[in-house]
Coordinates of all heavy atoms in Angstrom, one line a residue:
M518 N -9.0 -21.4 8.8 CA -9.2 -22.2 7.6 C -10.4 -23.1 7.8 O -11.1 -23.2 6.7 CB -7.9 -23.0 7.2 CG -6.8 -22.2 6.9 SD -7.0 -21.0 5.5 CE -7.0 -22.3 4.1
F519 N -10.6 -23.6 8.9 CA -11.7 -24.5 9.2 C -13.0 -23.8 9.0 O -13.9 -24.3 8.2 CB -11.7 -25.1 10.5 CG -12.8 -25.9 11.0 CD1 -12.9 -27.2 10.4 CD2 -13.8 -25.4 11.8 CE1 -14.1 -28.0 10.9 CE2 -14.9 -26.2 12.0 CZ -15.0 -27.6 11.7
T520 N -13.1 -22.6 9.4 CA -14.3 -21.7 9.3 C -14.7 -21.5 7.9 O -15.7 -21.5 7.5 CB -14.2 -20.5 10.3 OG1 -13.8 -20.8 11.5 CG2 -15.5 -19.7 10.1
L521 N -13.6 -21.1 7.2 CA -13.8 -20.7 5.7 C -14.3 -22.0 4.9 O -15.1 -21.9 4.0 CB -12.4 -20.4 5.0 CG -12.0 -18.9 5.6 CD1 -10.7 -18.6 5.0 CD2 -13.0 -17.9 5.1
K522 N -13.9 -23.2 5.4 CA -14.4 -24.3 4.7 C -15.7 -24.7 5.2 O -16.6 -25.2 4.2 CB -13.3 -25.4 4.9 CG -13.7 -26.8 4.2 CD -13.4 -26.6 2.8 CE -13.5 -27.9 2.0 NZ -13.5 -27.9 0.6
T523 N -16.0 -24.7 6.4 CA -17.3 -25.2 6.9 C -18.5 -24.1 6.8 O -19.6 -24.5 6.7 CB -17.2 -25.6 8.4 OG1 -16.8 -24.6 9.1 CG2 -16.3 -26.9 8.5
H524 N -18.1 -22.9 6.8 CA -19.0 -21.8 6.7 C -18.8 -20.8 5.6 O -19.0 -19.7 5.8 CB -19.2 -21.0 8.1 CG -19.4 -21.9 9.3 ND1 -18.6 -22.7 10.0 CD2 -20.7 -22.0 10.0 CE1 -19.1 -23.2 11.0 NE2 -20.3 -22.8 11.1
H525 N -18.6 -21.3 4.5 CA -18.3 -20.6 3.3 C -19.3 -19.6 2.9 O -19.2 -18.5 2.4 CB -17.8 -21.3 2.2 CG -18.8 -22.4 1.6 ND1 -19.7 -22.0 0.6 CD2 -19.0 -23.6 1.8 CE1 -20.5 -23.0 0.4 NE2 -20.1 -23.9 1.2
H526 N -20.6 -20.0 3.2 CA -21.8 -19.1 2.9 C -21.7 -17.9 3.6 O -22.3 -16.8 3.2 CB -23.1 -20.0 3.1 CG -23.3 -20.5 4.6 ND1 -22.6 -21.5 5.1 CD2 -24.0 -19.9 5.5 CE1 -23.1 -21.6 6.3 NE2 -23.9 -20.7 6.7
L527 N -21.1 -17.8 4.8 CA -21.2 -16.5 5.6 C -20.0 -15.5 5.0 O -20.2 -14.4 5.2 CB -20.6 -16.8 7.0 CG -21.7 -17.7 7.8 CD1 -21.0 -18.1 9.2 CD2 -23.0 -17.1 7.9
F528 N -19.2 -16.1 4.3 CA -18.1 -15.2 3.7 C -18.2 -14.9 2.1 O -17.5 -14.1 1.5 CB -16.7 -15.9 3.8 CG -16.5 -16.0 5.3 CD1 -16.6 -17.3 5.9 CD2 -16.0 -15.0 6.1 CE1 -16.3 -17.4 7.2 CE2 -15.7 -15.2 7.5 CZ -15.9 -16.4 8.0
A529 N -19.3 -15.5 1.6 CA -19.5 -15.3 0.1 C -20.2 -13.9 0.0 O -21.2 -13.5 0.5 CB -20.5 -16.3 -0.5
G530 N -19.7 -13.1 -1.0 CA -20.1 -11.8 -1.2 C -21.2 -11.8 -2.3 O -21.2 -12.8 -3.1
E531 N -21.8 -10.8 -2.4 CA -22.9 -10.7 -3.6 C -22.0 -10.3 -4.9 O -21.1 -9.4 -4.7 CB -23.9 -9.7 -3.4 CG -24.8 -10.1 -2.2 CD -25.8 -9.1 -2.0 OE1 -26.2 -8.3 -2.7 OE2 -26.4 -9.2 -0.8
A532 N -22.3 -10.8 -6.0 CA -21.7 -10.4 -7.2 C -22.3 -9.0 -7.6 O -23.4 -8.7 -7.6 CB -22.0 -11.5 -8.3
H533 N -21.4 -8.2 -8.1 CA -21.8 -6.8 -8.6 C -20.8 -6.3 -9.6 O -19.7 -6.9 -9.7 CB -22.0 -5.8 -7.4 CG -20.8 -5.4 -6.7 ND1 -19.7 -4.6 -7.1 CD2 -20.3 -6.1 -5.6 CE1 -18.7 -4.6 -6.3 NE2 -19.1 -5.5 -5.2
S534 N -21.1 -5.2 -10.3 CA -20.3 -4.7 -11.3 C -20.1 -3.3 -11.0 O -21.1 -2.7 -10.4 CB -20.8 -5.1 -12.7 OG -22.1 -4.3 -13.0
P535 N -19.3 -2.6 -11.6 CA -19.1 -1.1 -11.5 C -20.4 -0.3 -12.0 O -20.7 0.7 -11.5 CB -17.9 -0.7 -12.3 CG -17.1 -1.9 -12.4 CD -18.1 -3.1 -12.4
S536 N -21.1 -1.0 -13.0 CA -22.2 -0.3 -13.4 C -23.4 -0.2 -12.4 O -24.3 0.5 -12.6 CB -22.8 -0.9 -14.8 OG -23.0 -2.3 -14.6
D537 N -23.3 -1.3 -11.4 CA -24.3 -1.2 -10.4 C -24.3 0.1 -9.5 O -25.3 0.5 -9.0 CB -24.2 -2.4 -9.4 CG -24.5 -3.6 -10.2 OD1 -25.1 -3.8 -11.2 OD2 -24.0 -4.7 -9.7
L538 N -23.1 0.6 -9.5 CA -23.0 1.9 -8.7 C -23.1 3.1 -9.6 O -22.7 4.2 -9.1 CB -21.5 1.8 -7.9 CG -21.3 0.6 -7.1 CD1 -20.1 0.7 -6.6 CD2 -22.3 0.8 -5.9
G539 N -23.3 2.9 -10.9 CA -23.3 4.1 -11.7 C -22.0 4.5 -12.2 O -21.8 5.7 -12.8
E540 N -21.1 3.7 -12.2 CA -19.6 4.0 -12.6 C -19.3 3.3 -13.9 O -19.8 2.2 -14.2 CB -18.6 3.6 -11.4 CG -18.9 4.4 -10.3 CD -17.8 4.0 -9.2 OE1 -17.1 3.0 -9.4 OE2 -18.0 4.4 -8.1
Q541 N -18.4 3.9 -14.6 CA -18.0 3.3 -15.8 C -16.6 2.5 -15.5 O -15.8 3.1 -14.9 CB -17.6 4.3 -16.9 CG -18.9 5.0 -17.4 CD -19.8 4.1 -18.2 OE1 -19.4 3.2 -18.8 NE2 -21.2 4.4 -17.9
P542 N -16.4 1.4 -16.1 CA -15.1 0.7 -15.7 C -14.0 1.4 -16.6 O -14.2 1.9 -17.6 CB -15.4 -0.8 -16.4 CG -16.7 -0.7 -17.2 CD -17.3 0.5 -16.8
W543 N -12.9 1.3 -16.0 CA -11.6 2.0 -16.5 C -11.1 1.1 -17.8 O -11.2 -0.1 -17.8 CB -10.5 2.0 -15.6 CG -10.7 3.0 -14.4 CD1 -11.8 3.8 -14.3 CD2 -9.9 3.2 -13.3 NE1 -11.7 4.5 -13.2 CE2 -10.5 4.3 -12.6 CE3 -8.7 2.8 -13.0 CZ2 -9.9 4.8 -11.5 CZ3 -8.1 3.2 -11.9 CH2 -8.7 4.4 -11.1
T544 N -10.6 1.9 -18.7 CA -10.0 1.2 -19.9 C -8.6 0.9 -19.6 O -8.0 1.3 -18.6 CB -10.1 2.2 -21.1 OG1 -9.2 3.3 -20.7 CG2 -11.4 2.7 -21.4
P545 N -8.0 -0.1 -20.4 CA -6.7 -0.5 -20.1 C -5.7 0.7 -20.2 O -4.7 0.8 -19.5 CB -6.3 -1.5 -21.1 CG -7.6 -2.1 -21.5 CD -8.6 -1.1 -21.3
A546 N -5.9 1.6 -21.1 CA -5.1 2.7 -21.3 C -5.2 3.7 -20.0 O -4.2 4.1 -19.6 CB -5.5 3.5 -22.5
C547 N -6.3 3.8 -19.4 CA -6.4 4.5 -18.2 C -5.6 3.8 -17.1 O -5.0 4.6 -16.3 CB -7.9 4.6 -17.8 SG -8.2 5.6 -16.4
F548 N -5.8 2.5 -16.9 CA -4.9 1.8 -15.9 C -3.4 2.1 -16.2 O -2.7 2.3 -15.2 CB -5.2 0.3 -16.0 CG -6.4 -0.2 -15.4 CD1 -7.4 -0.8 -16.1 CD2 -6.6 0.0 -14.0 CE1 -8.6 -1.3 -15.4 CE2 -7.7 -0.5 -13.5 CZ -8.7 -1.1 -14.1
D549 N -3.0 2.0 -17.4 CA -1.6 2.2 -17.7 C -1.1 3.6 -17.3 O -0.1 3.8 -16.8 CB -1.3 2.0 -19.2 CG -1.4 0.5 -19.5 OD1 -1.4 -0.5 -18.7 OD2 -1.5 0.3 -20.8
F550 N -1.9 4.5 -17.6 CA -1.6 5.9 -17.3 C -1.5 6.2 -15.8 O -0.6 6.7 -15.3 CB -2.6 6.9 -17.9 CG -2.5 8.4 -17.4 CD1 -1.4 9.0 -18.1 CD2 -3.4 9.0 -16.6 CE1 -1.1 10.3 -17.7 CE2 -3.1 10.3 -16.2 CZ -2.0 11.0 -16.7
I551 N -2.5 5.7 -15.1 CA -2.5 5.8 -13.6 C -1.4 5.1 -12.9 O -0.7 5.5 -12.0 CB -3.9 5.4 -13.1 CG1 -5.0 6.3 -13.4 CG2 -3.8 5.3 -11.6 CD1 -6.4 6.1 -13.0
L552 N -1.1 3.9 -13.4 CA 0.0 3.0 -13.0 C 1.3 3.8 -13.1 O 2.3 3.9 -12.2 CB 0.1 1.7 -13.6 CG 1.2 0.9 -13.1 CD1 1.1 0.5 -11.5 CD2 1.2 -0.5 -14.0
T553 N 1.5 4.5 -14.2 CA 2.8 5.1 -14.6 C 2.9 6.4 -13.7 O 3.9 6.7 -13.2 CB 2.8 5.6 -16.1 OG1 2.6 4.4 -16.9 CG2 4.1 6.3 -16.4
V554 N 1.8 7.1 -13.5 CA 1.8 8.4 -12.7 C 2.2 8.0 -11.2 O 2.9 8.6 -10.6 CB 0.5 9.1 -12.8 CG1 0.4 10.2 -11.8 CG2 0.4 9.7 -14.3
V555 N 1.4 7.0 -10.8 CA 1.7 6.6 -9.4 C 3.1 6.1 -9.1 O 3.8 6.4 -8.1 CB 0.6 5.5 -9.0 CG1 0.9 4.9 -7.5 CG2 -0.8 6.2 -8.9
A556 N 3.7 5.3 -10.1 CA 5.1 4.8 -10.0 C 5.8 5.9 -9.9 O 7.0 5.9 -9.2 CB 5.3 3.7 -11.0
S557 N 5.7 6.9 -10.7 CA 6.7 8.1 -10.9 C 6.6 8.8 -9.5 O 7.6 9.2 -9.0 CB 6.3 8.9 -12.1 OG 6.3 8.2 -13.2
L558 N 5.5 9.1 -9.0 CA 5.2 9.7 -7.7 C 6.0 8.9 -6.4 O 6.7 9.5 -5.7 CB 3.8 10.1 -7.3 CG 3.2 11.0 -8.3 CD1 1.6 11.2 -8.0 CD2 3.8 12.3 -8.1
V559 N 5.8 7.7 -6.5 CA 6.5 6.8 -5.5 C 7.9 6.9 -5.7 O 8.6 7.1 -4.5 CB 6.1 5.4 -5.7 CG1 6.8 4.4 -4.8 CG2 4.5 5.2 -5.3
A560 N 8.4 6.9 -6.8 CA 9.9 7.0 -7.1 C 10.5 8.4 -6.5 O 11.4 8.4 -5.9 CB 10.3 6.8 -8.5
L561 N 9.6 9.4 -6.9 CA 10.0 10.8 -6.5 C 10.1 10.9 -4.9 O 10.9 11.4 -4.3 CB 9.1 11.8 -7.0 CG 9.2 13.3 -6.7 CD1 10.6 13.8 -7.2 CD2 8.1 14.1 -7.1
M562 N 9.0 10.4 -4.2 CA 9.0 10.4 -2.8 C 10.1 9.6 -2.2 O 10.7 10.0 -1.2 CB 7.6 9.9 -2.4 CG 6.5 10.8 -2.8 SD 6.6 12.5 -2.1 CE 6.4 12.2 -0.4
S563 N 10.4 8.4 -2.8 CA 11.7 7.7 -2.2 C 12.8 8.4 -2.4 O 13.8 8.3 -1.5 CB 11.6 6.2 -3.0 OG 10.4 5.7 -3.0
E564 N 13.2 9.1 -3.4 CA 14.3 9.8 -3.6 C 14.4 11.1 -2.6 O 15.5 11.4 -2.0 CB 14.4 10.5 -5.1 CG 14.8 9.4 -6.0 CD 16.2 8.9 -5.9 OE1 17.1 9.5 -5.4 OE2 16.4 7.6 -6.0
M565 N 13.3 11.6 -2.3 CA 13.1 12.7 -1.3 C 13.5 12.1 0.1 O 14.1 12.7 1.0 CB 11.7 13.4 -1.3 CG 11.6 14.2 -2.6 SD 9.9 14.7 -2.8 CE 9.7 15.8 -1.4
L566 N 12.9 10.9 0.3 CA 13.1 10.3 1.6 C 14.6 10.0 1.9 O 15.3 10.2 2.8 CB 12.4 9.1 1.8 CG 12.6 8.2 3.1 CD1 12.2 8.9 4.3 CD2 11.9 6.9 3.0
V567 N 15.2 9.4 0.9 CA 16.7 9.1 0.9 C 17.5 10.3 1.0 O 18.5 10.5 1.9 CB 17.0 8.2 -0.3 CG1 18.7 8.1 -0.4 CG2 16.5 6.9 -0.3
G568 N 17.2 11.3 0.2 CA 17.9 12.6 0.4 C 17.8 13.2 1.8 O 18.7 13.9 2.1
A569 N 16.6 13.2 2.3 CA 16.4 13.7 3.7 C 17.2 12.9 4.7 O 17.7 13.4 5.8 CB 15.0 13.8 4.0
L570 N 17.2 11.5 4.7 CA 17.9 10.7 5.5 C 19.4 10.7 5.6 O 20.1 10.4 6.5 CB 17.3 9.3 5.5 CG 16.0 9.1 6.1 CD1 15.5 7.6 5.9 CD2 15.9 9.4 7.4
E571 N 19.9 10.7 4.4 CA 21.4 10.7 4.2 C 22.2 11.6 5.1 O 23.1 11.1 5.8 CB 21.8 10.9 2.8 CG 21.8 9.7 1.9 CD 22.2 9.9 0.5 OE1 22.4 11.0 0.1 OE2 22.4 8.8 -0.1
P572 N 22.1 12.9 5.2 CA 22.8 13.8 6.0 C 22.6 13.2 7.6 O 23.6 13.3 8.3 CB 22.2 15.1 5.9 CG 21.6 15.1 4.5 CD 21.1 13.6 4.5
A573 N 21.5 13.1 8.0 CA 21.2 12.6 9.4 C 21.9 11.2 9.7 O 22.5 11.2 10.8 CB 19.7 12.5 9.7
V574 N 21.9 10.3 8.8 CA 22.4 9.0 9.0 C 24.0 9.2 9.1 O 24.7 8.6 10.0 CB 22.1 8.2 7.9 CG1 23.0 6.8 8.0 CG2 20.6 7.7 7.9
Q575 N 24.6 10.0 8.3 CA 26.0 10.3 8.4 C 26.5 10.9 9.6 O 27.4 10.6 10.2 CB 26.6 10.9 7.1 CG 26.5 10.2 5.8 CD 26.8 11.0 4.5 OE1 27.0 12.3 4.7 NE2 26.8 10.4 3.4
Q576 N 25.7 11.9 9.9 CA 26.0 12.7 11.2 C 25.8 11.9 12.6 O 26.7 11.9 13.4 CB 25.3 13.9 11.3 CG 25.7 14.8 12.4 CD 24.9 16.2 12.4 OE1 24.0 16.4 11.6 NE2 25.4 17.1 13.1
L577 N 24.9 11.0 12.6 CA 24.7 10.1 13.6 C 25.5 8.8 13.6 O 25.5 8.2 14.6 CB 23.1 9.7 13.8 CG 22.2 11.0 14.0 CD1 20.8 10.5 14.0 CD2 22.5 11.5 15.5
G578 N 26.1 8.5 12.5 CA 26.8 7.3 12.5 C 26.1 6.0 12.5 O 26.5 5.1 13.0
L579 N 24.9 6.0 11.8 CA 24.0 4.8 11.7 C 24.5 3.9 10.7 O 24.9 4.3 9.7 CB 22.6 5.2 11.7 CG 21.9 6.1 12.7 CD1 20.5 6.5 12.4 CD2 22.0 5.4 14.2
T580 N 24.3 2.7 10.9 CA 24.6 1.7 9.8 C 23.5 1.7 8.8 O 22.3 2.1 9.0 CB 24.8 0.3 10.4 OG1 23.5 -0.2 10.9 CG2 25.8 0.3 11.4
Q581 N 23.8 1.2 7.5 CA 22.8 1.0 6.5 C 21.8 0.0 6.8 O 20.7 0.2 6.4 CB 23.5 0.8 5.2 CG 24.4 1.8 4.6 CD 25.0 1.4 3.3 OE1 24.9 0.3 2.8 NE2 25.6 2.4 2.6
V582 N 22.1 -1.0 7.5 CA 21.1 -2.1 7.9 C 20.1 -1.4 8.9 O 18.9 -1.7 8.8 CB 21.9 -3.2 8.6 CG1 20.8 -4.3 9.1 CG2 22.8 -4.0 7.6
F583 N 20.5 -0.7 9.8 CA 19.7 -0.1 10.8 C 18.7 0.8 10.0 O 17.5 0.9 10.3 CB 20.4 0.7 11.8 CG 19.4 1.4 12.8 CD1 18.9 0.7 13.9 CD2 19.3 2.7 12.7 CE1 18.1 1.2 14.8 CE2 18.4 3.4 13.7 CZ 17.8 2.7 14.7
V584 N 19.2 1.7 9.1 CA 18.4 2.5 8.4 C 17.4 1.9 7.6 O 16.2 2.2 7.6 CB 19.3 3.5 7.5 CG1 18.4 4.4 6.6 CG2 20.2 4.4 8.5
G585 N 17.8 0.8 6.8 CA 17.0 0.2 5.9 C 15.8 -0.7 6.6 O 14.9 -0.8 6.3
V586 N 16.2 -1.2 7.7 CA 15.3 -2.1 8.4 C 14.4 -1.4 9.4 O 13.2 -1.6 9.6 CB 16.1 -3.3 9.3 CG1 15.1 -4.1 10.1 CG2 16.8 -4.2 8.2
I587 N 14.9 -0.5 10.2 CA 14.2 0.3 11.1 C 13.8 1.6 10.8 O 12.5 1.9 10.8 CB 15.1 0.4 12.4 CG1 15.6 -1.0 13.0 CG2 14.2 1.1 13.6 CD1 14.6 -1.9 13.4
L588 N 14.6 2.6 10.4 CA 14.1 3.9 10.0 C 13.2 3.9 8.8 O 12.1 4.7 8.9 CB 15.4 4.7 9.8 CG 16.1 5.3 11.1 CD1 17.2 6.2 10.6 CD2 15.2 5.8 12.0
V589 N 13.5 3.4 7.8 CA 12.6 3.5 6.5 C 11.3 2.8 6.8 O 10.2 3.3 6.5 CB 13.2 2.7 5.4 CG1 12.2 2.7 4.3 CG2 14.5 3.5 4.9
A590 N 11.3 1.7 7.7 CA 10.0 1.1 8.1 C 9.1 2.0 9.1 O 7.9 2.2 8.8 CB 10.1 -0.1 8.7
L591 N 9.8 2.7 9.9 CA 9.0 3.6 10.8 C 8.6 4.8 10.0 O 7.4 5.2 10.2 CB 10.1 4.2 12.0 CG 10.3 3.1 13.0 CD1 11.3 3.7 14.0 CD2 9.0 2.8 13.7
V592 N 9.4 5.4 9.2 CA 9.0 6.6 8.3 C 7.9 6.3 7.5 O 6.9 7.0 7.3 CB 10.1 7.2 7.6 CG1 9.7 8.2 6.6 CG2 11.1 7.8 8.6
G593 N 8.0 5.1 6.8 CA 6.8 4.6 5.9 C 5.6 4.5 6.6 O 4.6 4.7 6.0
N594 N 5.6 3.8 7.7 CA 4.3 3.6 8.5 C 3.9 4.8 9.2 O 2.7 4.8 9.6 CB 4.5 2.5 9.5 CG 4.6 1.1 8.7 OD1 4.1 1.0 7.6 ND2 5.4 0.2 9.3
A595 N 4.7 5.8 9.4 CA 4.2 7.0 10.1 C 3.1 7.7 9.5 O 2.3 8.5 10.1 CB 5.4 7.9 10.4
S596 N 3.1 7.8 8.1 CA 2.2 8.5 7.3 C 0.8 7.6 7.2 O -0.1 8.3 6.8 CB 2.7 8.8 6.0 OG 3.0 7.6 5.3
S597 N 0.8 6.4 7.5 CA -0.4 5.5 7.3 C -1.4 5.8 8.4 O -0.9 6.1 9.6 CB -0.1 4.1 7.3 OG 0.5 3.6 8.4
P598 N -2.7 5.9 8.0 CA -3.8 6.2 9.1 C -3.7 5.1 10.0 O -3.5 4.0 9.8 CB -5.0 6.3 8.4 CG -4.9 5.5 7.0 CD -3.3 5.6 6.7
N599 N -4.2 5.4 11.3 CA -4.3 4.5 12.3 C -5.7 3.8 12.3 O -6.6 4.3 12.9 CB -4.1 5.1 13.6 CG -3.9 4.1 14.8 OD1 -3.9 2.9 14.6 ND2 -4.0 4.5 16.0
I600 N -5.8 2.7 11.4 CA -7.0 2.1 11.3 C -7.0 0.8 12.2 O -6.1 0.0 12.1 CB -7.1 1.7 9.9 CG1 -7.1 2.8 8.9 CG2 -8.5 0.8 9.6 CD1 -7.2 2.5 7.4
P601 N -7.9 0.7 13.2 CA -8.0 -0.5 14.0 C -8.4 -1.6 13.0 O -9.1 -1.7 12.1 CB -9.3 -0.2 14.9 CG -10.1 0.9 14.3 CD -9.0 1.6 13.2
R602 N -7.7 -2.7 13.3 CA -7.8 -4.0 12.7 C -8.7 -5.0 13.5 O -8.6 -5.1 14.7 CB -6.5 -4.6 12.3 CG -5.7 -3.7 11.4 CD -4.3 -4.4 11.1 NE -3.6 -3.5 10.3 CZ -2.5 -3.5 10.0 NH1 -1.8 -4.6 10.4 NH2 -1.9 -2.7 9.1
P603 N -9.5 -5.9 12.8 CA -10.5 -6.6 13.7 C -9.8 -7.8 14.3 O -8.7 -8.2 13.8 CB -11.4 -7.2 12.5 CG -10.8 -6.9 11.1 CD -9.8 -5.8 11.4

């Protein structure tokens, strides 16, 4: 926080717009459509994940807390790319 306050000029980005890159800004209708499609896909994938985990959880006798806190977090992060953080 100290550095952000004392050296704010180092972190200030240049102002730009989508037209600087030759792109057209999205319309609100486009945002709504993409948000709806992505939310539907996330819901579908969540249902598939739960459907795949239920038989294994019952057979192994795992608790719902363990599955919700540990397994779902591991499965969700398994597909994310390994990006080094600064």
